[in-house]
Amino acid sequence: AQSVTQPDIHITVSEGASLELRCNYSYGATPYLFWYVQSPGQGLQLLLKYFSGDTLVQGIKGFEAEFKRSQSSFNLRKPSVHWSDAAEYFCAVGATGGYNKLIFGAGTRLAVHP
Amino acid sequence: DAGITQSPRHKVTETGTPVTLRCHQTENHRYMYWYRQDPGHGLRLIHYSYGVKDTDKGEVSDGYSVSRSKTEDFLLTLESATSSQTSVYFCAISETGGYGYTFGSGTRLTVV
């Protein structure tokens, strides 16, 4: 069965510092992988997605993620964090069979210090 | 989000009462999903639909039912609300399923 693990529940970084949010997945075949962001009181917005091809994926708001098959990971990165990046981030994996449900991780809450 | 609307946005209800949440889309997408979001659990799938009158259970379906009589509407019903169903409920739509979703703004439900 598919599963997603986000090992860090909370992360705090200083504004301008680099950021890496970890995501590990369990899935037998090549997965579809996603990162979503949720600002307080809002719905989820898609940051980026990986289906195939280049393992480094660029997304919106200056985020990128790298798919590493050997490590079953899809970590999200940003070189310089802005105060507006404070939010909760969710990694998700989608199956290629069935009705393509997305399985979400528990989320990582990011706080940004000025 | 444009193209997907959830109603109501907030609701407080009493234990034992029935509650229906509505998800309405204008994108004509085939797939629709209901998730609940709880701290420490992320989003968990309740039910989903892959077409009109075609629905199936997700991982946390007990106590919930759904209906989809039109492409644009997906209803989630709590037959007899319990305090454990206090949560934020999100609807999502997708044209192609696993290629990613568009989410609604959520419904915050409190069962007292």
Side-chain angles (χ1 to χ4, degrees), chain A residues 36-57:
Chain A
Y36 284 85
V37 61
Q38 183 183 32
S39 298
Q42 303 297 313
L44 280 75
Q45 180 184 22
L46 180 65
L47 279 177
L48 48 77
K49 56 191 176 186
Y50 170 79
F51 295 155
S52 65
D54 193 346
T55 57
L56 185 62
V57 180

Side-chain angles (χ1 to χ4, degrees), chain A residues 42 69 75 80-81 86:
Chain A
Q42 303 297 313
R69 184 188 303 274
N75 293 349
S80 179
V81 170

Side-chain angles (χ1 to χ4, degrees), chain A residues 22-43:
Chain A
R22 296 183 291 165
C23 173
N24 293 100
Y25 68 90
S26 174
Y27 185 60
T30 298
Y32 296 165
L33 294 161
F34 306 83
W35 276 100
Y36 284 85
V37 61
Q38 183 183 32
S39 298
Q42 303 297 313

